[in-house]
């Protein structure tokens, strides 16, 4: 063991033909620790980069929303999955990001507050920081409260936020009226207007790059000292405190980082539609994010992404499903009709899914992987 | 002064509805440690069922029948979707109940039709004079119904064998199981009770008013109530519900004059502000059991 | 074992979804989306081509389901009748294939819009204001014409939106003018929801009150029957002679009933979405019959105009509801635009938008006053300024009886519409 650790300073060599044998600590902690992961990830990335030239615009838009939702889900996973602080307040932080970005990049002569700085390099970090600041203000609650109490208190935050955003007409446009979202402009190119490439293609690529960036950041953070401290706090906060983890500090940090992600996601999310309404940031949005990380897999970055994609694509899938059941009426006055079936399916699929696999998509993935790893001796 | 007392009466009336809903949440929480987001759907189902039954039978009979039917529905739902999840993370179960809420509400909405519906209550909008203050009968009815239900519940938990078993299971599931308490039946009963309570609450909301598909939103008011009272305290749920109702009503009556800068309709979020204030002083609510940490 | 079921399930779902729709680029027909030489599914005229129109409505769990469902059904009946009369320019119109549920959520609305956008020529219905606002930028850039299902004054300012009838704003001005003419109120209070619906009407009421020199104040009230306490307090305390009510039906009944129970005797005039005939059976019914009047952009279901008769005939046996009337009326301008575009031999998105700007009058078959539906001029000249007033009546099919036929009050006539009203409250 000591010998292995001593060699850890240099890049340990793997014995030929034994790719899974780790001979150094560094190898063990590597970002992509198996050749399988490396191969699969590169394949996935190639497909993702080629997709905008293959798929139709509506699918691209949906995927782009899914990517942004993934960033938000990773953020929630940081505070809830890694650090164990259940937060139903995610919608509030998304809102702060969305409104900061929209206000910074908005039209200065418009009906709502706007400062006209359209560069994404300015408003995106600002949106994240504003949300992070809100997270820091909220965090002290988490040092006093646990579990469901914390969950419902953060939910209170969503309701208070909704009230403020509905009342603050000059920023948000007011309920039912809304305002234009942030203007995505990068190096002088407007990404939300069609040019040589359609706006969906451009936005898709932007969101993909953002997702990769923030996913790698999160993955790196979680295998650092901070990440281990988070896990310690989650698993047993008293034990963590005894071994010298400053609870207050790390809970604060978890909320700040998570909120930063939420702010970024909120800022990007609505650029796709170009418009948003203060009524959007409600309990349902928060719960959707919780559902994303539960369905994807708690405390995994890839799980967050899978879950976010699942929840984003699910309505589209359920809209297609009644098509294969032609005996269901498409008249909205009949019961049951396709629209009811579609909505019921949305609920049912979530239920069935979680009953069959409470560890989420990541759990399914692990099982499939293990099955084939041991094949043909799997049972 | 009349205005004040009328506001109080309204607050206590609405508050008793929140209390019934909060009781449902707390009963489920105590036995299964889950916050069930399906309560709004059960509430709507109860109200809609009564709008159909009231055409056939007496209102009170309809109320009882509907509560029983929804209790049965809740029991079935628990058996099929929640029981397999025993021992699984509680938040996974919470999201499952959310899926249930969507499914049940879509189905119930299908039965509402195009017109708003009536529960056919006998008191409507009549008022009685109470010490010189005209008070709507419906608020009294709400308060009285809730008082009766709460008394019955407390008697059940205090004096019956099964009530004792439920308390034991809430206290320590494994030990209770070892003592021969049918924990599965406890889960089922708690869901059934919560369903029945939600149904009654839904009917009370519809009394003196009408039922449409947006009725379910009211159930969310029980969330600050349960936290305020303490998640695992039945008495706390009742106190929390009444407090939420009162605060909301009084803030609605006076805030526009006293503190207009809080914005129109601050009353809607005032329960959450109250909840935050209480939690800053008492992290487990007014009557919740502080968690004992064994190191 | 369980995981494999899950995996198979997911895989199945994904396969179905991918195979179910065109997801690959390059298979769209870019010349005139939504117009095909092939006949419509279940076509009336088998030899006609087909024009596909989309409809995005609130069909399951959203708050406006009870209006949205009859609106959608009436539109299906409307276009079926158009087809039975031979279609338009050699095409039948299909409004059944691309109907989508928005759950009254702007993001969902935008997603389903993107989904059907490439396959439809125009939208026969886009329900709600915040939801439509989420797609209006895209509608404009893609030159897609849409018939709204809401009456906010913002639509007067959008070329691509084919609105019918007076906005909430104008309707409330007319309500106040009517009240001044008949029972001479001195004070007006607007009890309203926030945003495009309530604030639009309240702004109109404010303008009306200012023009008629009445005292005015506005009370914003949230949705939910348990949240109406403050509005009731304000009415009972303020004792206004007239309340302009812009809420949903159940909240309206709560406000009227409870204020009456506490001794308020003044009058209410509610906008059309505040009414539902089920209220006549509610405990608040006596108060509603005594104190409530409804303002409306057009006459109710049972009216005897050629348009109304055609509608009832086309719908057959249905439970009367003014959602049907609205869906039917909202379809006329789009029909006129399609006919114009067909006459111009330009049945494309471009051509349709051009046709819309040439329409100076729409034939509503008597359902709206002559001259309504001018889309050629600017917002001020184009806006319809007539409303009518109805009172609750058990004997009528939708529970209301018209007591004042379509009229334009002096306030509405003189009002300069230079921006959406809701910004002016």
């Amino acid at each position: 063991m000591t010998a292995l650790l001593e060699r850890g300073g240099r890049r340990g060599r793997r014995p030929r033909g034994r790719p899974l044998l780790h001979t150094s600590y560094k190898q063990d902690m590597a970002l992509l620790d198996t050749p399988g992961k490396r191969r699969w990830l590169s394949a996935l990335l190639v497909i993702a980069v080629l997709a905008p030239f293959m798929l139709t615009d509506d699918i691209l838009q949906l995927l782009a929303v899914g990517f942004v939702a993934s960033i938000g889900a990773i953020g929630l996973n940081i505070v809830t999955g890694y650090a164990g602080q259940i937060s139903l307040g995610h919608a509030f932080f998304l809102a702060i990001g969305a409104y900061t970005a929209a206000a910074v990049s908005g039209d200065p002569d418009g009906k709502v507050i706007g400062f006209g700085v359209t560069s994404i390099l300015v408003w995106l970090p600002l949106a994240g920081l504003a949300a992070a600041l809100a997270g820091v203000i909220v965090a002290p609650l988490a040092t006093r409260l646990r579990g469901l109490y914390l969950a419902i208190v953060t939910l209170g935050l969503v309701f208070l936020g909704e009230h403020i955003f509905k009342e603050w007409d000059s920023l948000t446009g007011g309920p039912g009226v809304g305002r234009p979202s942030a203007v995505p402009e990068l190096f002088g190119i407007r990404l939300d207007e069609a040019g040589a490439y359609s706006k969906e293609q451009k936005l898709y690529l932007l969101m993909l790059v953002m997702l990769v960036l923030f996913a790698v950041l999160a993955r790196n953070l979680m295998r650092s000292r901070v990440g281990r401290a988070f896990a310690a706090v989650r698993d047993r906060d008293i034990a963590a405190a005894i071994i010298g983890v400053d609870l207050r500090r790390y809970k604060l940090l978890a909320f700040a980082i998570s909120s930063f992600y939420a702010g970024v996601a909120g800022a990007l999310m609505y650029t796709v539609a170009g418009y948003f309404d203060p009524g959007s940031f409600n309990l349902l949005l928060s719960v959707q994010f919780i559902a994303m990380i539960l369905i994807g897999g708690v405390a995994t970055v890839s799980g967050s992404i899978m879950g976010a994609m699942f929840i984003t694509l699910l309505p589209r899938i359920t809209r297609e499903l009644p098509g294969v059941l032609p005996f269901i009426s498409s008249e909205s006055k009949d019961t049951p009709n396709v629209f009811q079936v579609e909505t019921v399916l949305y609920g049912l699929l979530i239920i069935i899914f979680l009953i069959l696999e409470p560890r989420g998509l990541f759990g399914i993935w692990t099982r499939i992987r293990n099955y084939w790893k041991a094949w043909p001796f799997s049972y | 002064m009349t205005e004040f007392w009328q506001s109080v009466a309204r607050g206590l009336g609405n508050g008793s509805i929140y209390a019934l809903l909060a009781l449902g949440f707390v009963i489920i929480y105590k036995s299964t440690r889950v916050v069930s987001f399906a309560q709004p759907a059960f509430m709507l189902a109860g109200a809609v069922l009564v709008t159909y039954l009231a055409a056939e039978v007496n209102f009170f009979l309809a109320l009882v029948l509907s509560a029983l039917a929804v209790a049965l529905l809740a029991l079935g739902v628990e058996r099929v979707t929640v029981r397999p999840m025993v021992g699984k993370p509680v938040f996974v179960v919470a999201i499952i109940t959310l899926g249930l809420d969507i499914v049940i509400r879509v189905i119930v909405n299908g039965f509402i039709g195009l017109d708003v519906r009536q529960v056919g209550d006998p008191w409507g909008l009549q008022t009685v004079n109470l010490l010189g203050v005209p008070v709507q009968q419906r608020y009294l009815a709400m308060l009285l119904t809730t008082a009766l239900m709460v008394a019955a519940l407390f008697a059940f938990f205090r004096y019956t064998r099964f009530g004792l078993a439920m308390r034991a299971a809430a206290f320590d599931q494994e030990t209770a199981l070892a003592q021969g308490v049918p924990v599965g039946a406890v889960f089922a009963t708690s869901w059934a009770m919560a369903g029945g309570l939600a149904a009654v609450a839904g009917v009370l909301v519809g009394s003196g008013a009408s039922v449409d598909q947006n009725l379910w939103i009211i159930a969310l008011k029980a969330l600050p109530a349960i936290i305020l009272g303490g998640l695992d305290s039945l008495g706390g749920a009742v106190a929390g519900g009444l407090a939420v109702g009162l605060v909301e009503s009084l803030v609605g009556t006076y805030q526009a004059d006293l503190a207009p800068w809080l914005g129109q309709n601050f009353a809607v979020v005032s329960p959450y502000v109250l909840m935050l204030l209480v939690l800053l002083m008492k992290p487990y609510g007014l009557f919740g059991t502080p968690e004992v940490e064994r190191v | 074992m369980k995981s494999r079921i899950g995996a198979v399930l997911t895989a199945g779902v994904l396969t179905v979804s991918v195979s179910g729709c065109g997801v690959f680029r390059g298979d769209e027909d870019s010349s005139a989306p939504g117009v095909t030489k092939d006949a419509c599914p279940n076509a009336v005229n088998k030899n006609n081509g087909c024009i596909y129109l989309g409809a995005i409505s609130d069909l399951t769990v959203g708050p406006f389901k009870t209006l949205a469902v009859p609106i959608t059904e009436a539109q299906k009946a409307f276009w079926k009748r158009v087809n039975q009369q031979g279609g338009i320019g050699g095409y039948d119109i299909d409004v059944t294939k691309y109907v989508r549920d928005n759950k009254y959520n702007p993001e969902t609305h935008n997603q389903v819009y993107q989904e059907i956008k490439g396959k439809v020529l125009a939208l026969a219905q886009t329900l709600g204001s915040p939801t439509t606002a989420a797609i209006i930028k895209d509608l404009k850039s893609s030159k897609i014409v849409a018939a709204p299902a809401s009456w906010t004054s913002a639509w007067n300012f959008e070329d691509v939106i084919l609105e019918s009838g007076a906005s909430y704003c104008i309707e409330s001005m007319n309500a106040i003018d009517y009240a001044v003419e008949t029972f001479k109120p001195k004070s007006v209070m607007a009890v309203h929801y926030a945003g495009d619906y309530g604030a639009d009407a309240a702004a109109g009421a404010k303008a009306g009150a200012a023009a008629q020199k009445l005292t005015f104040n506005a009370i914003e009230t949230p949705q939910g029957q348990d949240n109406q306490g403050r509005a009731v307090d304000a009415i009972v305390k303020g004792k206004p002679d007239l309340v302009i009510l812009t809420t949903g039906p159940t909240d309206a009944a709560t406000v009227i009933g409870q204020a009456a129970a506490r001794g308020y005797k003044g009058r209410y005039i509610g906008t059309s979405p505040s009414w539902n005939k089920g209220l006549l059976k509610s405990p608040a019914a006596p108060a509603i019959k005594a104190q409530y009047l409804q303002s409306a952009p057009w006459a109710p279901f049972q009216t005897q105009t050629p348009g109304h008769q055609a509608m009832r005939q086309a719908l057959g046996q249905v439970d009367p509801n003014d959602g049907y009337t609205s869906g039917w009326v909202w379809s006329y301008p789009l029909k006129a635009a399609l006919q114009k575009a067909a006459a111009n031999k330009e049945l494309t998105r471009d051509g349709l938008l051009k046709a819309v700007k040439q329409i100076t009058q729409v034939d509503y078959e008597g359902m709206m006053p002559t001259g309504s539906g001018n889309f050629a001029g600017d917002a001020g000249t184009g806006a319809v300024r007539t409303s009518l007033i109805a009172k609750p009546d058990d004997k009528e099919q939708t529970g209301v009886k018209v007591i004042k036929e379509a009229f334009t009050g002096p306030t509405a006539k003189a009002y300069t519409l230079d921006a959406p009203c809701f910004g002016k409250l």
Side-chain angles (χ1 to χ4, degrees), chain A residues 52-62 65 111 167 175-177 192 198-201 270 272-277 280 310 312 316-317 319-321 324 330-333 339-340 342-343 349 352-353 355-357 361 364 367-368 371, chain C residues 1-7 9-10 13-14 16-17 20-25 27-28 59-61 65 69 72-73 76 99-101 103 105-108 110-112 114-115 117 119 129-130 133-134 137-138 194-196 220 324 420 422:
Chain A
F53 309 102
M54 315 276 289
L55 302 176
T56 53
D57 283 346
D58 61 317
I59 302 276
L60 287 180
Q61 195 183 77
L62 208 57
V65 171
K111 275 177 266 178
E167 288 294 320
V177 182
D192 60 341
S198 76
K199 98 178 204 220
E200 283 81 6
Q201 286 172 312
Y270 299 94
V272 176
Y275 161 93
F276 63 116
D277 179 276
S280 300
F310 183 82
T312 314
R316 175 72 195 247
I317 294 168
R319 276 197 291 277
E320 303 293 342
L321 275 181
V324 298
S330 61
E331 302 285 320
S332 51
K333 64 176 190 291
F339 307 104
Q340 290 168 339
E342 156 199 326
T343 316
L349 280 176
I352 295 172
F353 200 89
I355 290 180
L356 293 184
E357 187 52 74
L361 288 162
I364 291 185
R367 287 195 197 199
I368 295 175
Y371 179 88
Chain C
M1 189 61 208
K2 275 183 177 176
S3 85
R4 256 169 287 162
I5 303 176
L9 202 79
T10 328
V13 165
L14 287 174
V16 168
S17 68
C21 50
V23 295
F24 292 106
R25 270 192 114 72
D27 51 358
E28 308 113 281
L59 298 171
T60 51
V61 286
K65 181 206 153 201
V69 169
T72 310
E73 291 307 317
K76 285 182 187 167
V99 182
R100 291 290 186 275
D101 181 14
K103 302 185 173 65
N105 174 325
E107 283 78 51
T108 311
N110 183 48
Q111 278 174 15
V112 294
Q114 295 295 338
E115 203 178 304
K117 178 183 151 190
K119 295 155 193 152
S129 309
K137 217 171 129 195
D138 200 304
D196 60 296
E220 186 185 304
Y324 291 115
F422 49 72

Side-chain angles (χ1 to χ4, degrees), chain A residues 27-113:
Chain A
Q27 278 178 3
D28 212 32
M29 293 302 292
L31 198 56
L32 301 165
D33 48 2
T34 63
K37 272 189 197 170
R38 276 194 292 272
R39 260 179 255 135
W40 279 107
L41 195 70
S42 5
L44 209 60
L45 270 179
V46 169
I47 294 175
V49 171
L50 289 179
F53 309 102
M54 315 276 289
L55 302 176
T56 53
D57 283 346
D58 61 317
I59 302 276
L60 287 180
Q61 195 183 77
L62 208 57
L63 290 172
V65 171
F67 292 158
V68 182
S70 304
I71 298 176
I74 293 173
L76 184 61
N77 227 336
I78 288 174
V79 75
T80 299
Y82 287 101
Q85 310 299 308
I86 293 156
S87 164
L88 278 173
H90 221 51
F92 175 69
F93 301 116
L94 284 163
I96 292 195
Y99 282 116
T100 308
V104 170
S105 69
D107 178 3
D109 307 322
K111 275 177 266 178
V112 283
I113 299 174

